[in-house]
Amino acid sequence: MTIRLSETPFDPGAELTAFSRGRTETGAVATFTGLARAERGATAILELEAYPGFTEAQIGRIADQARERFGLHDLAILHRVGKIGPGEPIVFVATAASHRRAAFEACDFLMDYLKSRAPFWKKEHGPDGARWIEPSAQDHADRERWDGR
Amino acid sequence: MTIRLSETPFDPGAELTAFSRGRTETGAVATFTGLARAERGATAILELEAYPGFTEAQIGRIADQARERFGLHDLAILHRVGKIGPGEPIVFVATAASHRRAAFEACDFLMDYLKSRAPFWKKEHGPDGARWIEPSAQDHADRERWDGR
Amino acid sequence: MARVLLFGPLRDLAGWRDREVEAASLAALRGLLADEDADLGLALGGPGVQVAVDQAVVRGDAALTARSEVAFLPPMSGG
Amino acid sequence: MARVLLFGPLRDLAGWRDREVEAASLAALRGLLADEDADLGLALGGPGVQVAVDQAVVRGDAALTARSEVAFLPPMSGG
């Protein structure tokens, strides 16, 4: 299980290559890559701040939950911090399980957590200046799908 | 949109790198990679047969449905045929959408179709000889989740 | 001379994968194949076996030309 | 001298990101910061602002040592 923050751009494909290599009993690998949208020019740069050490530890607690809940063989989470340009990957999540249902659901679960409750602070630098942003109502609703299930 | 059959092993990471490059409005890329399981020695080799031309065309019809149903920006499906060793990728599906829910659901939908109804014939070569296999009851149940939704 | 293709377990049963057969219709083709190999004839009409002529699935009979490609598709395994 | 860290909008409001402050408890630290900058003092007690001492979230007061790291965490944006 790896959880990493990266100050520099990364290639989700290289992460998937490393993650899927040499798995003879895994069967299923699901991934999600979140990319910075240009919003047709409305967002020039996204800036993400983490609390190094604390952020990884908090993500690690949810990752442990996901491993147990979905019977994962392994998972990887890589998250950009710092200034991110349009089209650049922000987050990469990979999950490995025996069967596809568990791999998909765990990846979905982890993304819902990361988008709504992980310790990141996000600023959008657009043509009209910068603003801090919070999770959308949809992000909260997505995460709540998992409560009590 | 690309739909390809491959007679030789492929690297899912290289596919993801190519698929996610240069997308400034996409936001979300989901992938699934199915790997051949060794089943602790019970399956030595998996052999997959397709009907070239027909198989891609049938997959293409479902891919068109998925694009419309989930509002996808793009998708890619790569499927191995021929003899596949344990740990080798069998199938890779990538979906691109504005938001993660659509990308995840479309990827899940496409995999359910591919596992239960796509024109492939699958033989397992194990220590006790070879046998042709059919979709599991779970595979059919997974696909039926999408009917009438 | 239509070209006939067998897939999956049908190929193992017949012992061949593709052949040229002279037949003016799908029904005539089925009859010729069954005369030669009764087990194969039964299997080609078995449950879930689809037929594609020139890569389009057909139900019932169909006319064949000299360049027709006829594929017998047993129940699909999925990928 | 506890080390104080501010994140997200709190940092922009305060105009600094980390500082050393002499305080024996979290309550004393809050008082000192509020005396210096009333807006910041209010914001540190605002809705959804969590406090971590040595990377563990604490509720209520907490004793601080010379090597404590105190982080004020405004509502998280998610990734």
Side-chain angles (χ1 to χ4, degrees), chain A residues 48-54 79 90 114-123 132-135, chain D residues 5-9 11-12 17 52 54-57 69-71 73-79:
Chain A
L48 266 169
E49 189 183 3
Y51 179 9
F54 180 82
H79 212 296
I90 303 170
L114 288 167
K115 291 296 285 187
S116 62
R117 283 209 298 206
F120 292 101
W121 296 275
K122 188 156 48 179
K123 203 178 203 173
W132 291 96
I133 55 183
E134 297 200 9
Chain D
L5 304 177
L6 303 181
F7 288 89
R11 173 165 45 97
D12 285 0
R17 185 201 160 96
D54 296 331
Q55 305 215 339
V57 173
E69 180 179 275
V70 179
L73 312 170
M76 292 156 184
S77 300

Side-chain angles (χ1 to χ4, degrees), chain B residues 48-54 79 114-115 117-123 132-133 135, chain C residues 5-9 11-12 17 52 55 57 69 71 73-79:
Chain B
L48 267 170
E49 190 184 2
Y51 179 10
F54 180 83
H79 212 297
L114 288 167
K115 292 295 285 186
R117 284 208 298 205
F120 292 101
W121 296 274
K122 188 156 49 179
K123 203 177 201 174
W132 291 96
I133 55 183
Chain C
L5 304 176
L6 303 181
F7 289 89
R11 173 164 45 95
D12 285 1
R17 185 201 160 95
Q55 305 215 340
V57 173
E69 180 179 275
L73 311 170
M76 293 156 183
S77 299

